[in-house]
Amino acid sequence: MEWIKKNDVIGKSILYLILIILSAAYIVPFLWLLSGSLKTTQELFATPPVFIPKKLQWNNYVLALTDFPFLLYLKNTLYIIIVNILGSVISSSLVAYGFSRIEWKGRDAIFLIVLMTMMLPFQVIMIPQFLLFQKFGWIGTFLPLMVPAFFGNAFYIFLLRQFFMGIPFEISQSAKIDGANEFQTFWHIIMPMAKPALTTVVIFTFLFRWNDFIGPLIFLNDNNLYTLSIGVQQIMSANDPRWTILMALGVVMTLPVLILFFLLQKYFIQGITFGALKE
C-alpha cells in the first residue's frame, strides 16, 4: 500500500510540474505585457531586459485612455457585442432545439450540412458578404457585424444541440402532457436547464467580437463607428509606435476577458464538457 501511495504522490507531482510549465507559456507573456505597460520606452528595449521598472509609469494608462476616443470605441464595441450575444443565443438555441428535440424528415442530413459550413474560413465568404451588404446599403453601419448573429452560428448550434440531447426527453413529454406547446417547452423548460451551454455561447461571442479586427476593418468606414480593435491602430505610427502605451492598452483590453472567464468559468466548463460526457 505504501508503494502505491508513493507512486501516486510521484505521479501527481509530475502532473503538477507539467501543468506549471505549460501554464507558464501563457502567464509569462501576460506578465511581460503588464511589466512593459509600466516601463519607459528605454526600459522596454533595454539589454539585458528589465523585468521590474525602476519607477512605475502609471501615466502610460492615462495616455492609453485619453490619447484616442477610448470611451466612444468601447461603447461601439459593447453595443455590437450585446446585440451579437442576443442574436446568437436566440437563433442558435432555436435551431439547436429543432435539431435535437423535434423529429422531422432530413434532420440529420441538414445538420451535417450545417456542420460542414464550419470548415469555411471567413476569408472565403468575405468578398461575397461584402458585395451582399453593399447591395443592401449596410456598408459603413453596424448592421453587417450584427445581423448575421440572428441567423445562427454552426458551432453554437452544435454545442447547444449536444447539450439539449443530454436533457432527458421525459421532461419535455411531461411538459406537453401538462398542455405546453413546443415553444413553451423550449422557452420555459429547456432554456433554463441549458444555462451552462448558453453561458459558453455568451463567452465565445464576447471573445470573438471583442477581438474581431477584420470585420470592423472591412465594414466600418466612419471613425465614430470604430471598435477598440480598430481604434488601437490609431495609437501606432510609422515614426513612433508608442509601444508602452500600446502595452498599457493591451492590459486594459485583456482584463475584461479574464474577469468574464473567472466569473463564469464553472458554467463554461460544464457547457463544454456536458455534451461530450453524454456521448
Side-chain angles (χ1 to χ4, degrees), residues 63-64 132 176 184 196 225 252 256 258 264:
L63 293 174
L132 180 65
K176 291 175 182 177
Q184 289 172 329
L225 299 179
V252 172
L258 294 176
L264 303 177

Side-chain angles (χ1 to χ4, degrees), residues 81 84-97 99 111 114-115 117-118 148-164 197-209 268 271-272:
I81 288 173
N84 270 264
I85 288 175
L86 290 174
S88 297
V89 168
I90 293 171
S91 61
S92 297
S93 60
L94 280 169
V95 176
Y97 183 84
F99 280 129
F111 178 66
V114 171
L115 291 183
T117 62
M118 293 172 61
F150 289 88
F151 291 86
N153 176 286
F155 174 69
Y156 300 159
I157 291 169
F158 168 75
L159 181 69
L160 291 169
R161 173 186 177 272
Q162 296 304 103
F163 196 96
F164 290 165
L198 295 174
T199 302
T200 304
V201 171
V202 169
I203 292 174
F204 276 132
T205 304
F206 179 91
L207 288 175
F208 174 72
R209 283 304 173 192
F268 176 74
I272 289 292

